[in-house]
Amino acid sequence: MLRLLSCQHATLLIEQRADAPLAPRDRRSLWLHLHYCPYCHRYARQTVLLVQLAQARAAGAPGALPGLPEAARQRIRQQLAGAGLDAL
């Protein structure tokens, strides 16, 4: 039986899912929650992007921004440089 998750529990499962597969029951409950909660759905998508960026950085590709067009990368670089964060 599926259990209803709070957003707090859903975000915990999203974080755990980034490190290891979830148990089938947790996976199904999270799937259901993500289909009905746009906020957690957005958080899950952002977490996937952050994991991809961290993996690219760990693989030695510091400038890699997977899935972003070059124009978006350039805007990010300009904003970071304007904020004095261009060394990151």
Side-chain angles (χ1 to χ4, degrees), residues 75-88:
R75 283 193 309 271
I76 291 170
R77 287 186 194 108
Q78 288 172 348
Q79 289 184 352
L80 288 173
L85 300 172
D86 52 345
L88 294 178

Side-chain angles (χ1 to χ4, degrees), residues 12-73:
L12 175 66
L13 290 176
I14 290 166
E15 294 296 327
Q16 289 175 349
R17 180 178 71 171
D19 295 327
L22 296 175
R25 180 180 175 178
D26 288 336
R27 190 174 59 243
R28 287 189 301 269
S29 294
L30 180 60
W31 178 87
L32 180 64
H33 183 89
L34 292 178
H35 276 74
Y36 290 102
C37 180
Y39 307 109
C40 289
H41 182 80
R42 180 183 308 137
Y43 181 75
R45 288 190 347 245
Q46 291 170 342
T47 300
V48 168
L49 179 60
L50 288 174
V51 167
Q52 290 173 347
L53 290 170
Q55 289 172 343
R57 176 71 87 154
L65 296 174
L68 288 177
E70 183 56 35
R73 291 182 209 175

